[in-house]
Amino acid sequence: MNTPIWVVRKVQANSDYTLFITFADGKEGLYDAKPLLEKSIYSPLKSLPFFLGAKAECGTVVWDDDIDIAPEHLYECSVPC
């Protein structure tokens, strides 16, 4: 079975609340996470040190406390770099 193109391989969180992401198909994109901060489920991300703790795990971007973002959304909404 082939790996879906939107699987997250690497992520780097930046202090401007963006994520630099590398996907399984080699695409690199910049995702602006600022709009998520208005949603209550993502309120912990308002803490910059917490946001900067993002990691690539299980094919997507995750943070402690069981916060993640759908990898398909990240792929579709990332601006190519």
Side-chain angles (χ1 to χ4, degrees):
M1 186 164 141
N2 292 334
T3 301
I5 60 174
W6 41 258
V7 167
V8 174
R9 295 287 189 217
K10 293 194 290 186
V11 64
Q12 176 186 329
N14 303 304
S15 61
D16 63 352
Y17 291 94
T18 60
L19 300 169
F20 180 74
I21 304 170
T22 303
F23 296 94
D25 67 351
K27 174 185 171 183
E28 294 181 331
L30 193 64
Y31 177 81
D32 182 0
K34 289 184 286 298
L36 296 180
L37 303 179
E38 302 307 314
K39 299 180 181 188
S40 61
I41 192 169
Y42 294 110
S43 63
L45 300 181
K46 290 180 181 178
S47 165
L48 185 58
F50 186 81
F51 180 80
L52 293 174
K55 56 191 170 218
E57 194 172 276
C58 299
T60 193
V61 176
V62 300
W63 290 266
D64 295 340
D65 296 336
D66 299 321
I67 297 175
D68 61 34
I69 304 172
E72 302 91 339
H73 171 77
L74 293 169
Y75 190 87
E76 292 173 9
C77 296
S78 292
V79 177
C81 296

